[in-house]
Amino acid sequence: MAKVAHFRFYAELNDFLPPVRRGVEFAHAFRGDPSVKDVIESLGVPHVEVDLVLADGESVDFSWRVRDGARVSVYPVFESIDIGPLVRFRAAPLREVRFVLDGHLRRLARYLRMLGFDARWRADAGDEELARTAAQEHRILLTRDIGLLERRAVTHGRWIRETDPRRQLLEVVRCFDLAGTIVPFRRCLRCNELLEHVEKAAVAERLPPRVALRQEEFRRCPSCGRVYWKGSHHERMERLVAEVVGSATGAP
Ligand SMILES: [Zn+2]
């Protein structure tokens, strides 16, 4: 005989549900003895976006077996509610925020690097490699593919809602509260490596004359050798940073 449990999803977890199930309690019929993780994913919500599950008011972990008649409340990782002494699934947040992005998010990866964040991206990285990189290197997986977030190996991830790269950047900065940790002009936009200071004399031959006249500070990528200076693209970058920080903190 089918059993029935009542579910309610909070805040942005509702993005994964059909409209009639958003923000309301709904009945879900099931058979057998499934874990709450499996039921949540069968309803369309990736487990990595879930931080807290209450079953009849008690916090439970992902392996908890759903009981007939249970009332289950599911909260997202980034909702700012005070859950005080209750058990969170991930006891400690990742200490340093690092990302790995799927093949569709090339421009977002460049924007993140522009702001100084470690953003691993390769055009040809397959799903398995992305999941493995996220797990082994403790990176947050950013993807437009919900299925990728359902892999067991993935513990930290986000399904990117926005489609425009600038809006995606703002989404990530807001979601992971990064506005205070932006350090522009420190990472190679092409290969994600940290830039090194380099003497002007060492790169003088490679500089356009106009740049050699006006610029004194140079940095070089140790991997691809590309030389960076505070030219016109730097001004665009500073405008982007101001825009992102402004919108993330609500300043005008
Ligand atoms: Zn480089």
Side-chain angles (χ1 to χ4, degrees):
M1 214 181 84
K3 305 171 191 172
V4 175
H6 299 272
F7 281 81
R8 179 168 176 173
F9 289 83
Y10 285 83
E12 58 188 26
L13 294 181
N14 286 288
D15 294 352
F16 299 101
L17 300 177
V20 297
R21 291 184 159 180
R22 289 179 193 161
V24 296
E25 186 175 276
F26 61 88
H28 174 66
F30 62 100
R31 287 178 185 281
D33 193 26
S35 69
V36 74
K37 173 180 182 288
D38 288 344
V39 175
I40 287 170
E41 293 206 327
S42 75
L43 292 168
V45 178
H47 74 277
V48 292
E49 299 234 357
V50 172
D51 196 40
L52 175 72
V53 177
L54 300 182
D56 297 320
E58 300 280 323
S59 60
V60 295
D61 68 28
F62 277 137
S63 63
W64 181 78
R65 302 286 156 180
V66 181
R67 283 193 301 262
D68 192 25
R71 298 199 117 76
V72 182
S73 306
V74 188
Y75 296 89
V77 176
F78 301 106
E79 197 192 9
S80 51
I81 53 160
D82 181 13
I83 60 171
L86 297 168
V87 179
R88 273 181 180 265
F89 288 156
R90 281 168 285 278
L94 294 179
R95 270 173 302 173
E96 189 194 349
V97 179
R98 291 184 296 184
F99 300 101
V100 55
L101 294 86
D102 79 24
H104 302 290
L105 298 175
R106 181 181 67 88
R107 289 186 61 198
L108 175 59
R110 284 178 64 93
Y111 277 144
L112 285 168
R113 291 169 186 168
M114 215 178 255
L115 302 191
F117 298 108
D118 185 340
R120 176 74 62 85
W121 176 88
R122 266 208 4 249
D124 58 350
D127 287 3
E128 200 173 319
E129 182 188 332
L130 290 166
R132 201 174 50 235
T133 303
Q136 287 176 353
E137 300 180 14
H138 305 291
R139 289 173 182 273
I140 296 168
L141 177 57
L142 303 179
T143 180
R144 292 275 300 153
D145 175 3
I146 293 175
L148 192 50
L149 293 180
E150 292 177 355
R151 288 179 171 247
R152 201 163 284 273
V154 179
T155 59
H156 294 77
R158 179 174 172 89
W159 175 59
I160 297 295
R161 274 71 165 170
E162 299 285 354
T163 51
D164 172 73
R166 275 176 175 253
R167 297 188 66 87
Q168 289 174 339
L169 178 67
L170 186 57
E171 178 184 342
V172 172
V173 169
R174 271 198 190 128
C175 170
F176 296 96
D177 198 19
L178 300 177
T181 54
I182 290 172
V183 185
F185 192 46
R186 76 163 173 183
R187 209 170 270 281
C188 181
L189 302 186
R190 190 186 292 167
C191 40
N192 196 40
E193 290 288 331
L194 285 171
L195 302 176
E196 295 171 341
H197 284 275
V198 61
E199 292 302 319
K200 186 175 182 177
V203 293
E205 284 184 352
R206 300 169 53 189
L207 300 175
R210 182 179 49 86
V211 171
L213 271 177
R214 291 189 195 160
Q215 305 291 331
E216 294 304 326
E217 195 192 344
F218 297 91
R219 297 185 191 179
R220 183 166 57 192
C221 171
S223 173
C224 71
R226 198 176 183 193
V227 175
Y228 289 81
W229 60 87
K230 294 186 173 181
S232 57
H233 99 279
H234 188 76
E235 279 165 30
R236 283 203 300 277
M237 195 158 97
E238 290 197 320
R239 276 202 298 276
L240 176 68
V241 172
E243 194 183 305
V244 165
V245 172
S247 345
T249 57

